[in-house]
Amino acid sequence: GFHHGRGSGMIDWSYIDGNGETTGSSEKFETQDAAEAWVGEAWEGLVELGIAEMILRDIDGGSDVYRMGLSPE
C-alpha cells in the first residue's frame, strides 16, 4: 500500500547545462521509479531546453544517487 508518513517529494533531478552549470531542478517525486518514469516522458523537452546532464538527488538523504547524460540520439 501507500505510505504517507513523511509526505511526498523526496527525490528530484538537478539540471546541468553543457557548461557544467546547474540550471534548475525538476518537480519532486516520491520514489526513484517515479522520477525515472517521468524523465522517460520528458527528456526530449529537457534536451530542447539545453540540459546536457541530470543528477538524481535523494533530498532526504542529502546525496546524489547517480548522474545521467542526455543525448539526442
Side-chain angles (χ1 to χ4, degrees):
F2 289 98
H3 299 284
H4 291 294
R6 296 186 306 165
S8 61
M10 293 299 147
I11 303 274
D12 76 353
W13 293 100
S14 183
Y15 300 155
I16 314 291
D17 69 14
N19 298 318
E21 301 289 322
T22 302
T23 62
S25 60
S26 71
E27 66 185 273
K28 294 177 174 51
F29 302 93
E30 290 191 32
T31 64
Q32 183 174 333
D33 284 348
E36 290 170 343
W38 174 83
V39 105
E41 302 288 321
W43 73 270
E44 288 182 323
L46 298 171
V47 169
E48 287 172 7
L49 291 173
I51 295 162
E53 288 186 281
M54 296 169 64
I55 299 172
L56 188 65
R57 298 189 299 186
D58 177 349
I59 299 162
D60 223 22
S63 61
D64 294 347
V65 182
Y66 66 84
R67 192 169 179 132
M68 181 180 81
L70 292 181
S71 59
E73 279 148 24

